[in-house]
Amino acid sequence: MGTSDPTQENILQCLSNHSWSSPPISSLTFFPNDPSYVSVLQSYIRNLRFMSTTTPKPLFIVAPTHVSHIQASIICSKIHGLQVRIRSGGHDYDGLSYVSDVPFIIVDMFNLRAVSLDVENGSAWVESGATLGEVYYRIAEKSKIHGFPAGVCPTVGVGGHFSGGGYGNLMRKYGLSVDNVIDAKIVDVNGRLLDRESMGEDLFWAIRGGGGASFGVIVSWKIKLVSVPEKVTVFKVERTLEQGASEIVQQWQEVADEINEDLFIRAVLMPSKQKKQRTVKAKFVALFLGNAEKLRALMDQSFPKLGLKQEDYMEMNWIQSVLFWSNYPNGTSVDVLLERQPKSEKFLKKKSDYVQEPIHKPGLEGLWKKMMELGKPVLTFNPYGGKMSEISELDTPFPHRAGNKYKIQYSVNWKEEGVEASDRNLDLIRKLYDYMTPYVSKSPRCSYLNYRDVDLGTNGIGTASYSEASIWGTKYFKGNFDKLVYVKSVADPHNFFRYEQSIPPITDWKGKMAE
């Protein structure tokens, strides 16, 4: 490691020496004195909490268009003692892909976003800077009967989404994104470009759910497309407590993970005011891989309490259902999926939990009371079961499989600037999370890596010990944490790729494990 205060000239010279000259990396490197620096930095900040003047900023940003630009960024960061943060879409909830308290750079993948489809073989190569919307658009452009299981927010970047697991409304039928990844290309700590064969099965296992940024820069992913019918059915209905939401949520908990795997019903619970009275509203959003007639029969039999009417069921094709789930009005052009900026940015905090036993009526009633008291945080329940119960928790680093009824996402959003507003809203979501302790998984209380949450613990600025990192690591990965540490120790023994929740290496692996 060299000096931690390198000059701009030295860095540009280093980057140029280690990369292809066309296009020159200097044209893709943005220092604070560059007029484009602020707009490049801010264009993929999805959480306004990390847009403040006091938020640490990178020494420079590289927006590679070629693998050699990534290789040069790694080599020169090692020479100059800089940390590398890797950003694909910027939806990292706690900003870890673009904020650091030590001198750092951002490798921003937004220029590397090609999606190359091979419909005959049912596969595609997707670069890490692509958004989910771009992936879905390119699939639908070529085929009416293919889809891919990934998230419902189209502006999320592929790089972080896939490497952390990647779930969405097809997961009960087809599992997670990572369950459908068949190859990848990664630039490792030594600047080598590796594919599945050359990186080996251990590293290929680790980057499919263990978070790619602990191991290298993932350039692209080969995915296996899945079958979708030409006609799918969706619905979205809301019920307040006065309309029987308690009984409906109770029944949802009993059936959502047991029902036909072609059906995914999300439940969103939010505090609300109706005629000045506080209440809780439950919204149910569904995707069914089949026609309305089949879905109606299924709902009448398995989930009658929701009380759906004929007009609640809407038939459409799969790509239109992507727009429906993204809250676009019916009739919106699919071209909106190519827009990389969300409709609006906000201050936000998210947390997660897993539920293994239904919360019974007295528990739900206590929860409604707490939500009305806090007034802001929203809970989203995502059902498990189906394919998620069939895949072993050892197959990928993502361990949350059989035995989970549903996952909870806690959300709080706000618009007011300043520390006071931030502290107040963070306190609200933490209070709700604490309140839920009796109802969720234990030993460990599990969390989802892609709902990144530094409240669970961090490595600090320096190198974390195995025991420090295992505090948050076992919550995300359960027993798979040890294997991730082993893979890290082989792939990046000196811990170059590190951040607040990166996997730590253990130099003396055997001795540490014996201890």
Side-chain angles (χ1 to χ4, degrees):
M1 291 291 185
T3 171
S4 60
D5 189 22
T7 66
Q8 188 168 321
E9 201 178 323
N10 287 349
I11 286 170
L12 283 171
Q13 188 63 56
C14 181
L15 292 170
S16 300
N17 290 347
H18 291 96
S19 63
W20 282 23
S21 56
S22 179
I25 195 167
S26 56
S27 67
L28 303 159
T29 303
F30 305 91
F31 286 86
N33 58 2
D34 187 303
S36 302
Y37 173 88
V38 171
S39 63
V40 172
L41 175 62
Q42 293 184 352
S43 59
Y44 291 95
I45 292 179
R46 299 282 172 256
N47 187 346
L48 293 180
R49 284 172 61 207
F50 306 110
M51 192 87 95
S52 75
T53 51
T54 56
T55 304
K57 309 291 188 289
L59 294 186
F60 60 94
I61 303 162
V62 179
T65 59
H66 184 267
V67 169
S68 74
H69 301 146
I70 299 171
Q71 292 166 319
S73 301
I74 292 170
I75 291 163
C76 297
S77 293
K78 282 167 77 177
I79 288 168
H80 291 292
L82 302 174
Q83 266 191 18
V84 172
R85 297 290 159 120
I86 307 147
R87 185 165 74 170
S88 52
H91 281 263
D92 185 328
Y93 287 146
D94 273 347
L96 303 188
S97 63
Y98 53 87
V99 178
S100 174
D101 286 326
V102 300
F104 75 107
I105 74 162
I106 295 175
V107 173
D108 207 320
M109 302 294 284
F110 63 83
N111 283 323
L112 290 169
R113 58 176 192 254
V115 180
S116 312
L117 272 103
D118 182 346
V119 175
E120 278 180 35
N121 286 324
S123 67
W125 273 101
V126 179
E127 289 184 327
S128 282
T131 62
L132 299 182
E134 288 169 334
V135 174
Y136 298 151
Y137 182 93
R138 298 299 170 205
I139 294 171
E141 200 174 36
K142 294 271 170 66
S143 169
K144 288 185 166 63
I145 54 165
H146 286 96
F148 188 70
V152 301
C153 175
T155 56
V156 166
V158 158
H161 186 69
F162 286 7
S163 70
Y167 86 98
N169 56 20
L170 291 176
M171 75 174 186
R172 300 190 65 251
K173 177 74 169 180
Y174 292 115
L176 305 175
S177 303
V178 288
D179 299 325
N180 298 277
V181 166
I182 48 181
D183 203 346
K185 290 180 181 166
I186 185 172
V187 179
D188 76 354
V189 70
N190 299 310
R192 297 176 300 177
L193 180 65
L194 308 172
D195 62 5
R196 179 174 183 171
E197 188 181 354
S198 53
M199 78 175 82
E201 286 303 302
D202 279 353
L203 184 51
F204 183 63
W205 174 86
I207 60 174
R208 287 175 302 132
S214 291
F215 303 99
V217 180
I218 301 166
V219 184
S220 56
W221 307 81
K222 188 179 187 184
I223 60 173
K224 182 177 70 198
L225 305 181
V226 301
S227 300
V228 293
E230 288 198 29
K231 194 179 281 181
V232 303
T233 307
V234 297
F235 66 74
K236 188 185 293 175
V237 296
E238 291 182 354
R239 303 285 187 261
T240 62
L241 294 181
E242 295 68 30
Q243 294 167 318
S246 292
E247 291 76 15
I248 298 167
V249 172
Q250 179 75 51
Q251 189 169 63
W252 178 91
Q253 291 183 96
E254 288 157 13
V255 303
D257 65 315
E258 301 283 348
I259 209 162
N260 187 304
E261 64 180 15
D262 288 337
L263 177 58
F264 183 94
I265 309 172
R266 166 181 279 184
V268 185
L269 308 165
M270 53 204 124
S272 173
K273 272 192 178 168
Q274 306 274 332
K275 297 176 183 170
K276 296 187 179 171
Q277 283 290 95
R278 289 190 172 194
T279 185
V280 170
K281 200 160 58 174
K283 179 168 71 175
F284 298 88
V285 194
L287 170 69
F288 177 63
L289 300 174
N291 64 31
E293 192 182 341
K294 268 192 192 162
L295 177 57
R296 191 166 60 248
L298 197 56
M299 291 296 290
D300 289 349
Q301 181 191 346
S302 300
F303 194 7
K305 279 198 160 56
L306 191 53
L308 292 182
K309 300 186 180 76
Q310 177 78 32
E311 60 267 25
D312 293 325
Y313 299 98
M314 283 180 279
E315 291 183 339
M316 54 186 64
N317 61 32
W318 173 72
I319 199 69
Q320 288 167 330
S321 79
V322 170
L323 296 178
F324 175 87
W325 269 76
S326 304
N327 296 315
Y328 286 103
N330 280 355
T332 301
S333 162
V334 295
D335 292 351
V336 298
L337 295 175
L338 299 177
E339 293 172 8
R340 292 174 64 88
Q341 301 297 327
K343 295 183 206 100
S344 65
E345 308 289 10
K346 43 194 174 282
F347 297 88
L348 59 92
K349 174 67 183 172
K350 314 265 182 177
K351 298 175 79 65
S352 60
D353 259 322
Y354 288 88
V355 175
Q356 291 158 347
E357 299 289 335
I359 304 169
H360 295 299
K361 202 165 173 206
L364 288 177
E365 285 169 352
L367 173 58
W368 309 149
K369 195 175 164 195
K370 192 68 182 173
M371 289 180 76
M372 288 187 276
E373 176 199 313
L374 295 173
K376 268 188 101 168
V378 170
L379 299 180
T380 301
F381 292 178
N382 291 290
Y384 267 51
K387 186 78 172 175
M388 291 299 287
S389 295
E390 295 164 19
I391 298 169
S392 163
E393 64 179 54
L394 304 177
D395 273 13
T396 67
F398 179 98
H400 315 294
R401 304 286 187 170
N404 291 299
K405 292 190 84 63
Y406 57 94
K407 170 170 59 190
I408 301 178
Q409 182 188 57
Y410 301 78
S411 310
V412 67
N413 302 326
W414 65 98
K415 294 203 171 133
E416 319 91 284
E417 291 184 27
V419 176
E420 196 184 319
S422 179
D423 288 348
R424 187 171 63 250
N425 284 281
L426 293 175
D427 183 56
L428 292 176
I429 193 170
R430 287 167 183 156
K431 278 180 172 155
L432 188 57
Y433 180 80
D434 290 346
Y435 180 82
M436 290 298 288
T437 306
Y439 305 109
V440 298
S441 60
K442 294 164 183 66
S443 301
R445 181 174 184 173
C446 291
S447 293
Y448 175 39
L449 180 69
N450 273 356
Y451 291 172
R452 187 70 80 177
D453 182 5
V454 296
D455 291 355
L456 304 179
T458 64
N459 297 341
I461 293 173
T463 304
S465 69
Y466 170 85
S467 56
E468 283 170 324
S470 65
I471 293 166
W472 56 262
T474 51
K475 290 177 166 68
Y476 290 139
F477 306 116
K478 294 170 69 175
N480 291 334
F481 180 66
D482 282 356
K483 185 175 174 183
L484 286 168
V485 173
Y486 165 74
V487 176
K488 171 73 171 183
S489 304
V490 174
D492 181 19
H494 301 297
N495 203 23
F496 171 69
F497 289 107
R498 66 182 187 272
Y499 58 93
E500 287 76 5
Q501 286 186 342
S502 59
I503 305 294
I506 290 180
T507 317
D508 179 15
W509 173 257
K510 286 177 186 161
K512 195 71 185 176
M513 292 318 292
E515 174 198 308

